[in-house]
Amino acid sequence: MARTRNEKFAALLAEADWSRAEAAAAFVRVAMENKAEDLARIGRNHITQWVSGSQPSGQAPLILAETLSRRLGRLITMDEIGLTVPTLPAHEALDWHGDPLAALTDLGRLDLDMERRHILGTATFSVAALALPGAPWWAEQAEARNMRTRAATRRGSVNDVEAVKEIVAFFSQRDQRHGGGHGRTAVVEYLKTDVPRCLNSTFSSDAVRRDMFSAAAELTYLSGWMAFDNSEHPVAQRYFTLALRLAAEAGDPPLAAHILRAMAHQALDLHHVQAASELAAASMDGKRYTQASPRERALLGVIHARSLAAAGQKKAAAAALLGAEDDLAAAADGIEEPGRVFFFGEASLSHETACTLRDIGDLNGSIRQFRRSVRTRKASKFARTHSVTLGYLGAVQAQQGNIEEACATWTRALDAMEGVQSGRARETVVHMRRALSPFRKRGVRVVTELDKRAAAFLAGVA
């Protein structure tokens, strides 16, 4: 049977002003960002076949839609491309509306069900979905409590709040030490079962209700952060969005800022600079920043600095770094800080400062700050970040041409990764091997030994 030419897809390619080879190259970039290495071999012939009417399969349609959305600056749907491949069911898709309690249960079921989890695996990280709702949405979320309270029969208590906070504290520390790939299933199981039951309660006061929703939002955020650290970016995006909805219903601006900061961090890692800038700016807006504690303000500020650096705004990035340093200096033992910022101190500030300086081209300054981060961090307690810092430091040293020094640093990074399950840590090893590639045939012993060890490490975590 002859295929019918896909005129919709052909028209979108024309609107994008892309040749088929250019479209294929863009498709590959988005596929790689979404860890769809099996699609990295896509070529011009595939684009030609799709225009001719053949149907892309698996993850390809969603990546195709995301590729065109980025190029055209608007959300492109399956229908607009002329495809009938189904995406996520409506109640499982990325959404800013609906009941977050139902969404929490549905997402948890999907995340834990091995037979259905492939649905999340075929989703893509959506830049279009990062556009934040306007002011009316925040007011609507805050008012949602009135409807829910009338329907609830269970009575919630301060003990429920404390139980969730204890889970957050426990798994946050495990994440810092062992990486996001360790223990996230347990977090999701608790989110899917116990947390919705606690949220769907009547409360003795509005303060207890808000504390309950804030605790639930933190745990949802933590699941997203762990997924992000393990390079499960579409999954992380859904948890971050849901966490922000819960924080909005709690009326907790600093927590909303914390989540927006994480979303900006993820967007930066995926090279979505404009989206990262907008999210970081939103995290610093109004009460989100002014009501935050000094340590949390410093965290918000340094990620804002990184987004400014990525956007090429060097002076603004430098000013934001100074602001973050001042905020951290203002943190004192007598000031109450939320538990979620327990990890953020001199070592973390130095790490993010180093990333900012690297991105504005100050490699010497970047190396100094990465070394300061390594020197001041409690490596055993924060093994995941320690290994990533060493990986980044080695990359900058290699960029300066100091390959033997870089090899020594990368060797320490691999040592630190022992027992760590982290996609971000793995990615530093992938980049390490790319940097070593030009030196493999030169007979440099340290390069050969390190490359062999790095290859073995990647094979062991595949």
Side-chain angles (χ1 to χ4, degrees):
M1 179 184 290
R3 293 194 295 259
T4 303
R5 175 180 164 85
N6 188 336
E7 298 293 350
K8 290 183 176 181
F9 184 28
L12 285 172
L13 286 182
E15 183 183 350
D17 193 24
W18 263 343
S19 68
R20 294 178 185 180
E22 290 170 330
F27 180 94
V28 168
R29 287 194 294 272
V30 177
M32 291 302 293
E33 288 176 14
N34 285 278
K35 311 302 176 188
E37 289 85 356
D38 58 319
L39 295 176
R41 295 182 296 276
I42 210 78
R44 178 178 177 177
N45 287 343
H46 289 81
I47 301 295
T48 299
Q49 290 169 9
W50 294 341
V51 171
S52 300
S54 68
Q55 290 284 308
S57 60
Q59 198 173 357
L62 293 169
I63 289 179
L64 187 59
E66 181 63 28
T67 303
L68 288 164
S69 295
R70 296 184 193 182
R71 176 68 171 183
L72 297 173
R74 68 176 192 274
L75 181 63
I76 301 298
T77 66
M78 294 291 110
D79 181 65
E80 288 178 274
I81 310 177
L83 299 177
T84 57
V85 179
T87 182
L88 289 173
H91 67 289
E92 292 166 344
L94 193 61
D95 187 14
W96 290 106
H97 299 282
D99 182 2
L101 273 64
L104 192 61
T105 301
D106 288 340
L107 181 56
R109 287 172 178 164
L110 187 65
D111 200 1
L112 293 173
D113 189 334
M114 291 299 102
E115 292 184 359
R116 298 177 67 237
R117 199 175 189 278
H118 72 280
I119 297 175
L120 283 178
T122 57
T124 61
F125 181 88
S126 173
V127 179
L130 291 178
L132 296 175
W137 178 86
W138 296 88
E140 290 170 7
Q141 294 296 113
E143 288 299 318
R145 64 182 181 273
N146 296 326
M147 293 293 294
R148 184 170 289 106
T149 300
R150 286 196 294 270
T153 57
R154 181 185 182 277
R155 187 162 184 80
S157 69
V158 174
N159 290 337
D160 292 328
V161 177
E162 292 305 316
V164 176
K165 285 184 175 180
E166 288 171 7
I167 294 292
V168 172
F170 177 77
F171 281 101
S172 293
Q173 292 172 13
R174 290 179 70 87
D175 166 67
Q176 287 290 337
R177 184 170 183 176
H178 299 292
H182 189 92
R184 194 176 74 82
T185 299
V187 174
V188 175
E189 180 63 43
Y190 190 77
L191 270 175
K192 178 178 74 73
T193 55
D194 293 53
V195 172
R197 178 177 56 84
C198 292
L199 292 173
N200 193 25
S201 302
T202 58
F203 297 94
S204 58
S205 69
D206 188 56
V208 175
R209 180 199 64 80
R210 290 173 60 177
D211 286 347
M212 186 69 249
F213 272 78
S214 289
E218 279 203 50
L219 190 60
T220 306
Y221 150 78
L222 177 61
S223 182
W225 180 264
M226 294 172 78
F228 159 53
D229 180 64
N230 206 39
S231 299
E232 299 176 74
H233 293 294
V235 178
Q237 186 178 31
R238 281 161 173 78
Y239 279 107
F240 285 154
T241 301
L242 187 50
L244 196 59
R245 291 168 60 187
L246 291 167
E249 186 162 340
D252 192 338
L255 177 55
H258 193 85
I259 298 163
L260 288 165
R261 178 272 322 171
M263 295 169 73
H265 194 153
Q266 182 184 32
L268 280 172
D269 276 18
L270 295 177
H271 310 294
H272 305 310
V273 175
Q274 182 178 347
S277 297
E278 292 171 356
L279 290 164
S283 77
M284 300 282 289
D285 186 47
K287 293 180 180 179
R288 295 174 193 147
Y289 177 80
T290 60
Q291 291 186 1
S293 66
R295 193 176 302 277
E296 189 148 54
R297 289 201 301 268
L299 174 57
L300 302 178
V302 78
I303 298 302
H304 187 220
R306 282 193 60 187
S307 73
L308 291 167
Q313 300 180 45
K314 295 184 179 182
K315 290 184 178 179
L321 284 179
L322 291 175
E325 290 175 4
D326 290 343
D327 280 331
L328 187 59
D333 291 341
I335 298 176
E336 185 177 357
E337 301 272 3
R340 60 181 173 264
V341 294
F342 78 97
F343 68 92
F344 191 78
E346 180 183 1
S348 294
L349 179 64
S350 296
H351 172 100
E352 302 298 350
T353 298
C355 291
T356 305
L357 295 176
R358 175 199 62 197
D359 293 345
I360 64 176
D362 182 1
L363 300 187
N364 289 330
S366 177
I367 285 177
R368 285 195 298 272
Q369 289 296 324
F370 276 134
R371 284 175 172 163
R372 182 182 180 189
S373 180
V374 170
R375 186 175 64 253
T376 56
R377 180 179 292 110
K378 295 179 180 179
S380 60
K381 188 175 181 180
F382 301 102
R384 186 267 313 284
T385 307
H386 190 64
S387 67
V388 172
T389 301
L390 287 166
Y392 289 174
L393 171 58
V396 178
Q397 290 169 334
Q399 192 174 345
Q400 288 193 317
N402 301 321
I403 194 64
E404 291 194 7
E405 186 177 24
C407 286
T409 300
W410 280 330
T411 297
R412 293 174 63 193
L414 287 170
D415 290 341
M417 287 177 201
E418 185 70 31
V420 171
Q421 298 179 35
S422 166
R424 287 192 295 159
R426 287 194 298 272
E427 285 166 14
T428 67
V429 182
V430 172
H431 294 154
M432 175 197 309
R433 295 203 72 214
R434 288 176 185 165
L436 293 174
S437 179
F439 302 92
R440 285 176 186 153
K441 296 181 180 180
R442 297 185 185 181
V444 181
R445 183 178 59 82
V446 290
V447 170
T448 302
E449 291 177 354
L450 178 63
D451 186 58
K452 184 181 296 185
R453 184 181 175 189
F457 172 85
L458 292 174
V461 298

